[in-house]
Amino acid sequence: MSRRGLFLFILVGFLWGIPYLFIKVAVDPENGFSPATVVFLRTAIGAAILIPIAIKQRQLFAAVRGWRYVGAYALLEMIGPWILIGTAEQKISSGLAGLLVASVPIWATIFASMRGDKTVWQRKRLFGIVVGFIGLIAVVGIESITGSADPLSIAMVLVASIGYSYAVMMVQSALPHVSGIAINAVAMAMTAIFYLPWSIAQWPTHEISQGAIRAIIGLGVLSTGAAFAAFFTLANIIGVARGSLVTYLNTAFAVVLGVVILNEPLTTGIILGLPLVLIGSYFASRKPADA
């Protein structure tokens, strides 16, 4: 990997590791925004950043023409997952949310198998699925039994992860020659329009903290607009498959930032489950060299 590729890899890992911290601050019930308002604001900002790039690439109208697939992608990647994660983070730590999202490669591998990818049954990938699920069971079980986290909130993040895992596979298959930046630009615009009525209806009547406002700006500019632009630039250098390995770096950043900045507890469930989920996701997402 070139120096530029390595820089972008680390940058994307940070930009997609920090949103869980931003979301945690932004959805604070006492001085923040509602989860729906957070989704609206982050996607409106993200769309404003990505649409000009998509226009410059001359790919925006290609994404608009595929609106049916982009709409389905938006539903599974943003409209559903981002409201679920935002709602869940009102009751669980940002680090735990990031850890649960690290299960995406495991679910993606299972979906690939259902779509006819026989390499899923290769031993290393099966090993990854099994180890990853053991890690998830450890996290969910320990966090729930000890009362460290709300089981329903954990379930919300897992459902969001399942949506993530299928969304990318679906849209890449349906629109293989359309820029990822253009697809996400249109998907963000769709998501912002979808959540606009809820955002207006749920606009806070209490005083909004400066921290929540800064979190929204960071979430929209850094973790939504800039992160997607950086990821697809990285993908052009090292490919989407290798680029997706940034998931493991995201998770490490999410857990560390939650502990260091928000003083979140490093629970037994996270300590035991984190390495298992990361190892499992790594092996589950690996394909044989001759595949």
Side-chain angles (χ1 to χ4, degrees), residues 16-17 165 224 229 263:
W16 274 349
S165 66
T224 306
N263 295 316

Side-chain angles (χ1 to χ4, degrees), residues 233-250:
T233 302
L234 173 66
N236 288 335
I237 297 174
I238 66 174
V240 174
R242 290 180 68 195
S244 65
L245 296 178
V246 78
T247 299
Y248 315 125
L249 193 56
N250 300 350

